Amino acid sequence: MTFSDFLKNRKGLVAIIASSAVVVALLAAVVSITFAKSGSDTILNGVTVGGIDLSGCTVDEAEELIVNRINEIKDEEITIQAGPDTLTATYADFGADYDCRLSAENAYKYGHEGFFSDIVPALKSTFGAESKQELSIYINNRVF
C-alpha cells in the first residue's frame, strides 16, 4: 500500500466516523427531548381538544378551558335539514353531556404514556405539529 492509498482510505474512515458521530448526536437529542417532554406535568405543545389549544396546560387548566368552551356553545342552535323539513335545536336539547375531565386527561396522556410511545408525540410537539384529541361526548349514556 502506498502512502497516497493510505490517505485515501483514511479520508473514507474519517467520513464514516464523522457521519456516525452526527447520527449518535441526533439520537441523543431525540432521547433528551423525549425524556424532557414526557416528564413534564403539562400537555405537549400543539395538542387540541375540540378545537381548543391546550398546549402547556396542566390537566386542571385544560379541563377548565374545555368547560368554559362547552358553556359558550351548549346553547348555540344547530339546524338540521331533512328534505323539506328543518329542525332547530341546541346541543343541550340533544341531551349531550361532556366528560371534560376525561378529555383533559386524554390530552395529557398523549406523549406521557411510555418512552417508546412518547418519541413521536414529543418530536411533533418540538417541531410545532398539531395533535388533535377527541372530545368525550355522551348522548343518552352513549359515548361519541
Coordinates of all heavy atoms in Angstrom, one line a residue, residues 71-142:
N71 N -69.6 25.6 27.9 CA -70.6 26.6 28.4 C -70.9 27.7 27.3 O -72.0 28.1 27.3 CB -70.2 27.2 29.7 CG -70.2 26.2 30.8 OD1 -71.0 25.3 30.8 ND2 -69.4 26.4 31.8
E72 N -69.9 28.0 26.5 CA -70.1 29.0 25.4 C -71.0 28.5 24.3 O -71.8 29.2 23.7 CB -68.8 29.4 24.8 CG -67.9 30.3 25.7 CD -66.5 30.5 25.1 OE1 -66.3 30.2 23.9 OE2 -65.7 31.1 25.8
I73 N -70.9 27.2 24.0 CA -71.6 26.7 22.8 C -72.8 25.8 23.1 O -73.5 25.5 22.2 CB -70.6 25.8 21.9 CG1 -70.2 24.5 22.7 CG2 -69.4 26.6 21.5 CD1 -69.5 23.5 21.8
K74 N -73.0 25.4 24.4 CA -74.1 24.5 24.7 C -75.5 25.0 24.2 O -76.4 24.2 23.9 CB -74.1 24.1 26.1 CG -74.5 25.2 27.1 CD -74.5 24.7 28.5 CE -74.8 25.8 29.5 NZ -74.7 25.4 30.8
D75 N -75.7 26.3 24.2 CA -77.0 26.9 23.8 C -77.0 27.4 22.4 O -78.0 28.0 21.9 CB -77.4 28.0 24.8 CG -77.7 27.4 26.2 OD1 -78.2 26.3 26.3 OD2 -77.3 28.1 27.2
E76 N -75.9 27.1 21.6 CA -75.9 27.5 20.2 C -76.9 26.6 19.5 O -77.0 25.4 19.7 CB -74.5 27.4 19.6 CG -73.6 28.4 20.0 CD -72.2 28.3 19.3 OE1 -72.1 27.5 18.4 OE2 -71.3 29.0 19.8
E77 N -77.6 27.2 18.5 CA -78.5 26.4 17.7 C -77.9 25.7 16.6 O -76.9 26.1 16.0 CB -79.6 27.4 17.1 CG -80.5 27.9 18.2 CD -81.7 28.7 17.6 OE1 -81.7 29.1 16.4 OE2 -82.7 28.9 18.4
I78 N -78.4 24.5 16.4 CA -78.0 23.6 15.3 C -79.2 23.4 14.4 O -80.3 23.1 14.9 CB -77.6 22.2 15.9 CG1 -76.5 22.3 16.9 CG2 -77.1 21.3 14.7 CD1 -76.2 21.0 17.7
T79 N -79.0 23.6 13.1 CA -80.1 23.4 12.2 C -79.8 22.2 11.4 O -78.8 21.9 10.8 CB -80.1 24.6 11.2 OG1 -80.3 25.8 12.0 CG2 -81.3 24.5 10.2
I80 N -80.9 21.3 11.4 CA -80.8 20.0 10.7 C -81.8 20.1 9.5 O -83.0 20.3 9.8 CB -81.1 18.8 11.6 CG1 -80.0 18.8 12.7 CG2 -81.1 17.5 10.8 CD1 -80.3 17.9 13.8
Q81 N -81.4 19.8 8.3 CA -82.3 19.9 7.2 C -82.5 18.4 6.7 O -81.5 17.7 6.4 CB -81.6 20.7 6.0 CG -82.5 20.9 4.8 CD -83.6 21.9 5.0 OE1 -83.3 22.9 5.7 NE2 -84.7 21.7 4.4
A82 N -83.7 18.0 6.7 CA -84.0 16.6 6.2 C -85.1 16.8 5.1 O -86.3 16.9 5.5 CB -84.5 15.7 7.3
G83 N -84.7 16.8 3.9 CA -85.7 17.0 2.8 C -86.3 18.4 3.0 O -85.5 19.4 3.2
P84 N -87.6 18.5 2.9 CA -88.2 19.8 3.1 C -88.3 20.3 4.6 O -88.7 21.4 4.9 CB -89.6 19.6 2.5 CG -89.9 18.2 2.7 CD -88.6 17.5 2.6
D85 N -88.0 19.4 5.5 CA -88.2 19.7 6.9 C -86.9 20.2 7.5 O -85.8 19.8 7.2 CB -88.6 18.4 7.7 CG -89.9 17.9 7.2 OD1 -90.8 18.7 6.9 OD2 -90.1 16.6 7.2
T86 N -87.1 21.2 8.4 CA -86.0 21.8 9.1 C -86.2 21.7 10.6 O -87.3 22.1 11.1 CB -85.8 23.3 8.7 OG1 -85.6 23.4 7.3 CG2 -84.6 23.9 9.4
L87 N -85.2 21.3 11.3 CA -85.3 21.2 12.8 C -84.2 22.0 13.4 O -83.0 21.9 12.9 CB -85.1 19.7 13.2 CG -84.9 19.5 14.7 CD1 -86.2 19.8 15.5 CD2 -84.5 18.1 15.0
T88 N -84.5 22.8 14.3 CA -83.5 23.6 15.0 C -83.5 23.2 16.5 O -84.5 23.1 17.1 CB -83.8 25.2 14.9 OG1 -83.9 25.5 13.5 CG2 -82.8 26.0 15.5
A89 N -82.3 23.0 17.0 CA -82.2 22.5 18.4 C -80.8 23.0 18.9 O -80.0 23.5 18.1 CB -82.3 21.0 18.5
T90 N -80.6 22.9 20.2 CA -79.3 23.2 20.8 C -78.6 21.9 21.2 O -79.2 20.8 21.2 CB -79.4 24.1 22.0 OG1 -80.1 23.3 23.0 CG2 -80.2 25.4 21.7
Y91 N -77.3 22.0 21.5 CA -76.6 20.8 22.0 C -77.3 20.2 23.2 O -77.4 19.0 23.4 CB -75.2 21.1 22.3 CG -74.3 21.4 21.1 CD1 -74.1 22.7 20.6 CD2 -73.7 20.3 20.4 CE1 -73.3 22.9 19.5 CE2 -72.9 20.6 19.3 CZ -72.7 21.9 18.9 OH -71.9 22.1 17.8
A92 N -77.8 21.1 24.1 CA -78.4 20.7 25.3 C -79.7 20.0 25.0 O -80.1 19.0 25.7 CB -78.7 22.0 26.2
D93 N -80.5 20.4 23.9 CA -81.7 19.7 23.5 C -81.4 18.3 23.2 O -82.3 17.4 23.4 CB -82.3 20.4 22.3 CG -82.9 21.8 22.7 OD1 -83.2 22.0 23.8 OD2 -83.0 22.6 21.7
F94 N -80.3 18.0 22.7 CA -79.9 16.6 22.3 C -79.5 15.8 23.5 O -79.2 14.6 23.4 CB -78.8 16.6 21.3 CG -79.2 16.9 19.9 CD1 -78.9 18.2 19.4 CD2 -80.0 16.1 19.1 CE1 -79.3 18.5 18.1 CE2 -80.4 16.5 17.9 CZ -80.1 17.7 17.3
G95 N -79.4 16.4 24.7 CA -79.0 15.7 25.9 C -77.5 15.4 25.9 O -77.1 14.5 26.6
A96 N -76.7 16.2 25.2 CA -75.3 16.0 25.2 C -74.7 16.3 26.5 O -75.0 17.3 27.1 CB -74.7 16.8 24.1
D97 N -73.8 15.4 27.0 CA -73.1 15.6 28.2 C -71.6 15.5 27.9 O -71.3 14.6 27.0 CB -73.5 14.6 29.3 CG -72.9 14.9 30.6 OD1 -72.6 16.0 30.9 OD2 -72.8 13.9 31.4
Y98 N -70.8 16.2 28.5 CA -69.3 16.2 28.1 C -68.5 15.8 29.3 O -68.7 16.3 30.4 CB -68.9 17.6 27.6 CG -69.8 18.1 26.5 CD1 -70.9 18.9 26.8 CD2 -69.5 17.8 25.2 CE1 -71.7 19.4 25.8 CE2 -70.3 18.3 24.2 CZ -71.4 19.1 24.5 OH -72.2 19.5 23.5
D99 N -67.6 14.9 29.1 CA -66.7 14.5 30.1 C -65.4 15.3 29.9 O -64.4 14.8 29.3 CB -66.4 13.0 30.1 CG -65.7 12.5 31.3 OD1 -65.0 13.3 32.0 OD2 -65.8 11.3 31.7
C100 N -65.4 16.5 30.4 CA -64.3 17.4 30.2 C -63.0 16.9 30.9 O -61.9 17.1 30.4 CB -64.7 18.8 30.7 SG -66.1 19.5 29.8
R101 N -63.2 16.3 32.1 CA -62.0 15.8 32.8 C -61.3 14.7 32.0 O -60.1 14.7 31.8 CB -62.4 15.2 34.2 CG -61.3 14.8 35.0 CD -60.4 15.9 35.4 NE -59.3 15.5 36.2 CZ -58.5 16.4 36.8 NH1 -58.7 17.7 36.7 NH2 -57.4 16.0 37.4
L102 N -62.1 13.7 31.5 CA -61.6 12.7 30.6 C -60.9 13.2 29.4 O -59.8 12.8 29.0 CB -62.7 11.7 30.3 CG -62.2 10.5 29.4 CD1 -61.2 9.6 30.1 CD2 -63.4 9.7 29.0
S103 N -61.5 14.2 28.8 CA -60.9 14.8 27.6 C -59.6 15.5 27.9 O -58.6 15.3 27.2 CB -61.8 15.9 27.0 OG -63.0 15.3 26.6
A104 N -59.5 16.2 29.1 CA -58.2 16.8 29.5 C -57.2 15.7 29.9 O -56.0 15.9 29.5 CB -58.5 17.7 30.7
E105 N -57.6 14.7 30.5 CA -56.7 13.6 30.9 C -56.1 12.9 29.6 O -54.9 12.6 29.6 CB -57.3 12.6 31.8 CG -57.6 13.1 33.2 CD -58.4 12.2 34.1 OE1 -59.0 11.2 33.6 OE2 -58.5 12.5 35.3
N106 N -57.0 12.7 28.6 CA -56.5 12.0 27.4 C -55.6 12.9 26.6 O -54.6 12.5 26.0 CB -57.7 11.7 26.5 CG -58.5 10.5 27.1 OD1 -58.0 9.7 27.8 ND2 -59.7 10.3 26.6
A107 N -55.8 14.2 26.7 CA -54.9 15.2 26.0 C -53.5 15.1 26.7 O -52.5 15.2 26.1 CB -55.4 16.6 26.1
Y108 N -53.5 15.0 28.1 CA -52.2 14.9 28.8 C -51.5 13.6 28.5 O -50.3 13.6 28.3 CB -52.5 15.0 30.3 CG -51.2 14.8 31.1 CD1 -50.3 15.8 31.2 CD2 -51.0 13.5 31.7 CE1 -49.1 15.5 31.9 CE2 -49.8 13.3 32.4 CZ -48.9 14.3 32.5 OH -47.7 14.1 33.1
K109 N -52.3 12.5 28.4 CA -51.7 11.2 28.2 C -50.9 11.1 26.8 O -50.0 10.4 26.7 CB -52.8 10.1 28.1 CG -53.2 9.8 29.5 CD -54.3 8.7 29.4 CE -54.9 8.4 30.8 NZ -56.0 7.4 30.6
Y110 N -51.3 12.0 25.9 CA -50.6 12.0 24.6 C -49.2 12.5 24.8 O -49.0 13.6 25.1 CB -51.4 12.9 23.6 CG -50.7 12.9 22.2 CD1 -50.9 11.9 21.3 CD2 -50.0 14.0 21.8 CE1 -50.3 11.9 20.1 CE2 -49.4 14.0 20.6 CZ -49.6 13.0 19.7 OH -49.0 13.0 18.5
G111 N -48.3 11.6 24.7 CA -46.9 11.9 24.9 C -46.4 11.7 26.3 O -45.2 12.1 26.6
H112 N -47.2 11.1 27.2 CA -46.8 10.9 28.6 C -47.0 9.4 29.0 O -47.1 9.1 30.2 CB -47.6 11.8 29.5 CG -47.2 13.2 29.4 ND1 -47.8 14.1 28.5 CD2 -46.3 14.0 30.0 CE1 -47.3 15.3 28.6 NE2 -46.4 15.2 29.5
E113 N -47.1 8.5 28.1 CA -47.5 7.1 28.5 C -46.4 6.2 28.6 O -46.4 5.2 29.3 CB -48.6 6.6 27.5 CG -49.9 7.3 27.6 CD -51.0 6.7 26.8 OE1 -50.8 6.6 25.6 OE2 -51.9 6.3 27.4
G114 N -45.3 6.3 27.9 CA -44.2 5.4 28.0 C -43.1 5.9 27.0 O -43.4 6.5 26.0
F115 N -41.9 5.6 27.3 CA -40.8 6.1 26.5 C -41.0 5.9 25.0 O -40.9 6.9 24.2 CB -39.4 5.5 26.9 CG -38.3 6.0 26.1 CD1 -37.8 7.3 26.3 CD2 -37.7 5.3 25.1 CE1 -36.8 7.8 25.5 CE2 -36.7 5.8 24.3 CZ -36.3 7.1 24.5
F116 N -41.2 4.7 24.5 CA -41.2 4.5 23.1 C -42.5 5.1 22.4 O -42.4 5.5 21.3 CB -41.1 3.0 22.7 CG -39.7 2.4 23.0 CD1 -39.5 1.6 24.1 CD2 -38.7 2.8 22.2 CE1 -38.2 1.1 24.4 CE2 -37.4 2.3 22.5 CZ -37.2 1.5 23.6
S117 N -43.6 5.1 23.2 CA -44.8 5.7 22.6 C -44.7 7.2 22.7 O -45.6 7.9 22.1 CB -46.0 5.2 23.4 OG -46.0 5.5 24.7
D118 N -43.8 7.8 23.4 CA -43.6 9.2 23.6 C -42.8 9.8 22.5 O -42.8 11.1 22.4 CB -43.1 9.6 25.0 CG -44.0 9.2 26.1 OD1 -45.2 9.0 25.8 OD2 -43.6 9.2 27.2
I119 N -42.0 9.1 21.8 CA -41.0 9.7 20.9 C -41.6 10.5 19.8 O -41.3 11.7 19.6 CB -40.1 8.6 20.3 CG1 -39.2 8.0 21.4 CG2 -39.2 9.1 19.2 CD1 -38.4 6.8 20.9
V120 N -42.6 9.9 19.1 CA -43.3 10.7 18.0 C -44.0 11.9 18.6 O -43.9 13.0 18.0 CB -44.1 9.7 17.2 CG1 -45.0 10.5 16.2 CG2 -43.3 8.7 16.5
P121 N -44.9 11.8 19.6 CA -45.5 13.0 20.1 C -44.6 14.1 20.6 O -44.8 15.2 20.3 CB -46.4 12.5 21.3 CG -46.6 11.0 21.0 CD -45.3 10.6 20.3
A122 N -43.5 13.7 21.2 CA -42.5 14.7 21.7 C -41.9 15.4 20.5 O -41.7 16.6 20.5 CB -41.5 14.0 22.6
L123 N -41.5 14.7 19.5 CA -40.9 15.3 18.3 C -41.9 16.2 17.6 O -41.6 17.3 17.1 CB -40.4 14.2 17.4 CG -39.1 13.5 17.9 CD1 -38.7 12.4 16.9 CD2 -38.0 14.5 18.0
K124 N -43.2 15.7 17.4 CA -44.2 16.5 16.8 C -44.4 17.8 17.6 O -44.5 18.9 17.0 CB -45.5 15.8 16.7 CG -45.5 14.7 15.7 CD -46.8 13.8 15.7 CE -48.0 14.6 15.2 NZ -49.2 13.7 15.1
S125 N -44.4 17.7 18.9 CA -44.6 18.9 19.8 C -43.4 19.8 19.6 O -43.6 21.1 19.5 CB -44.7 18.5 21.2 OG -44.6 19.6 22.1
T126 N -42.2 19.3 19.5 CA -41.0 20.1 19.4 C -41.0 20.9 18.0 O -40.6 22.1 18.0 CB -39.7 19.2 19.4 OG1 -39.7 18.6 20.7 CG2 -38.5 20.0 19.3
F127 N -41.5 20.3 17.0 CA -41.4 20.9 15.7 C -42.8 21.6 15.3 O -42.9 22.0 14.2 CB -41.0 19.9 14.6 CG -39.6 19.4 14.8 CD1 -39.3 18.2 15.3 CD2 -38.5 20.3 14.6 CE1 -38.0 17.7 15.5 CE2 -37.2 19.9 14.8 CZ -37.0 18.6 15.3
G128 N -43.7 21.7 16.3 CA -44.9 22.5 16.1 C -46.0 21.8 15.4 O -47.0 22.5 15.0
A129 N -46.0 20.5 15.2 CA -47.2 19.8 14.6 C -48.4 19.8 15.5 O -48.2 19.7 16.7 CB -46.8 18.4 14.2
E130 N -49.5 19.9 15.0 CA -50.8 19.9 15.8 C -51.2 18.4 16.0 O -51.1 17.6 15.1 CB -51.9 20.6 15.1 CG -53.1 20.8 15.9 CD -54.2 21.6 15.2 OE1 -53.9 22.4 14.3 OE2 -55.3 21.5 15.6
S131 N -51.7 18.1 17.2 CA -52.2 16.8 17.5 C -53.6 16.9 18.1 O -53.8 17.4 19.2 CB -51.2 16.2 18.5 OG -49.9 16.1 18.1
K132 N -54.5 16.5 17.3 CA -55.9 16.7 17.7 C -56.4 15.5 18.5 O -56.1 14.3 18.1 CB -56.8 16.8 16.5 CG -56.6 18.1 15.7 CD -57.4 18.2 14.5 CE -57.1 19.4 13.7 NZ -57.9 19.6 12.5
Q133 N -57.0 15.7 19.6 CA -57.5 14.7 20.5 C -59.0 14.8 20.5 O -59.6 15.9 20.3 CB -56.9 14.8 21.9 CG -55.4 14.8 22.0 CD -54.9 13.4 21.5 OE1 -55.2 12.4 22.0 NE2 -54.0 13.5 20.5
E134 N -59.7 13.7 20.8 CA -61.2 13.7 20.8 C -61.8 14.3 22.0 O -61.2 14.1 23.1 CB -61.7 12.2 20.6 CG -61.3 11.6 19.3 CD -61.9 12.2 18.1 OE1 -63.1 12.6 18.2 OE2 -61.2 12.3 17.1
L135 N -62.9 15.0 21.9 CA -63.7 15.5 23.0 C -64.6 14.4 23.3 O -65.3 13.8 22.5 CB -64.4 16.7 22.6 CG -65.4 17.4 23.6 CD1 -64.6 17.8 24.8 CD2 -66.1 18.5 23.0
S136 N -64.7 14.0 24.6 CA -65.6 12.9 25.1 C -67.0 13.4 25.2 O -67.2 14.2 26.1 CB -65.0 12.3 26.4 OG -63.8 11.8 26.2
I137 N -67.9 12.9 24.4 CA -69.3 13.4 24.4 C -70.2 12.2 24.6 O -70.0 11.1 24.0 CB -69.7 14.0 23.0 CG1 -68.7 15.2 22.7 CG2 -71.1 14.5 23.0 CD1 -68.9 15.8 21.3
Y138 N -71.2 12.4 25.5 CA -72.2 11.4 25.8 C -73.6 11.9 25.4 O -73.9 13.0 25.8 CB -72.2 11.0 27.3 CG -70.9 10.5 27.8 CD1 -69.9 11.3 28.2 CD2 -70.7 9.1 27.8 CE1 -68.7 10.8 28.7 CE2 -69.5 8.6 28.3 CZ -68.5 9.4 28.7 OH -67.3 8.9 29.2
I139 N -74.3 11.1 24.7 CA -75.7 11.4 24.4 C -76.5 10.1 24.7 O -76.2 9.0 24.2 CB -76.0 11.8 22.9 CG1 -75.2 13.1 22.6 CG2 -77.4 12.0 22.7 CD1 -75.3 13.6 21.2
N140 N -77.5 10.2 25.6 CA -78.2 9.1 26.1 C -77.3 8.0 26.6 O -77.5 6.8 26.3 CB -79.2 8.5 25.0 CG -80.2 9.5 24.6 OD1 -80.7 10.3 25.4 ND2 -80.6 9.5 23.4
N141 N -76.3 8.4 27.4 CA -75.3 7.5 28.0 C -74.5 6.7 27.0 O -73.9 5.7 27.4 CB -76.0 6.5 29.0 CG -76.6 7.2 30.1 OD1 -76.0 8.2 30.6 ND2 -77.8 6.8 30.6
R142 N -74.4 7.1 25.8 CA -73.5 6.5 24.8 C -72.4 7.5 24.5 O -72.6 8.7 24.3 CB -74.3 6.2 23.5 CG -75.3 5.1 23.7 CD -76.0 4.7 22.4 NE -75.0 4.2 21.4 CZ -75.2 4.2 20.1 NH1 -76.3 4.6 19.6 NH2 -74.2 3.8 19.3

